[in-house]
Amino acid sequence: MALEIVTIPCLSDNYAYLAHDPATGTTAVVDVPEAGPISAELTRRGWSLDLVLLTHHHWDHVDGLSALLADFPAKVVGAAADAHRLPPLDIALAERDTIRIGDEVGHVIDVSGHTIGHIAYHFPASNVAFTADSLMALGCGRIFEGDPEMMYESLMKLAALPPDTLICSGHEYTQTNAKFALTIEPGNSDLISRSRAVDAARAEGRPTVPSLLSEELATNPFLRSDAPEVRATVGLPDAPAAQVFAEVRRRKDNF
Ligand code: ZN
Ligand code: FE
């Protein structure tokens, strides 16, 4: 039985996610920007909390942890590589390690680039990946600690997951990302229609996440280094894909 996913808006533009295994009643939360909305959702559903899965060390993904644990004791899981700057971990993981939410087995993917030590969690039986600030809806995280090559390699690992994978990312940046994406691929009809759908969702206050990997592959400029229009826009018709990515990312930084 697939994990039940609940999207929880936090702070001004962050998301936390609950992942609940209905077979065993086990529940995890992915990232804790603040405790209040997560506690409220757990209480409303009558769920206890078993696991906290952290993606990376930035404050807007961990700040609510101690307050949440005070009401909902749980085991804290995160990257071994980042243990020195994450809150205390009960379980420290590296790439290819696994973590279970009840019967559902998750695989750890190193997606360094935004930070070094950023991990994603992929649950293949449920077709869901928690990507936080690596692959985002129509975007990707800013490269603070890694370099473009590293970030590109991380994104390609995620791009290789099954196209029907649900991508649960960390922020509501999609509308701005869409405006930028349209400067890179103004002729992409899938992007044009997705951009309209994003505007409509935001006008009604609905989250634009999670998204499907297939949508990202068709519209996210950071996954589309090989698209002729992307290459033409950045003036790199024959460059390696990672170099095209680096130029698209550079333009987004200045957008
Ligand atoms: Zn971050
Ligand atoms: Fe963030």
Side-chain angles (χ1 to χ4, degrees), residues 56 58 60-61 114-115 133 144 171:
H56 68 295
H58 282 158
D60 62 310
H61 298 257
H114 175 70
T115 66
D133 296 358
F144 287 116
H171 287 271

Side-chain angles (χ1 to χ4, degrees), residues 65-86:
L65 183 63
S66 51
L68 181 66
L69 292 176
D71 290 336
F72 291 91
K75 284 203 158 58
V76 180
V77 180
D82 257 352
H84 61 289
R85 56 182 181 175
L86 286 168

Side-chain angles (χ1 to χ4, degrees), residues 6 11 17 44 62 70 209 247:
V6 182
L11 304 174
Y17 296 90
R44 197 173 75 75
V62 301
V209 299
E247 177 57 21

Side-chain angles (χ1 to χ4, degrees), residues 4-9 16-20 41 44-45 47 130 210:
E4 186 177 342
I5 307 298
V6 182
T7 305
I8 306 178
Y17 296 90
L18 297 181
H20 177 78
E41 193 62 42
R44 197 173 75 75
R45 291 172 181 268
W47 292 349
F130 300 96

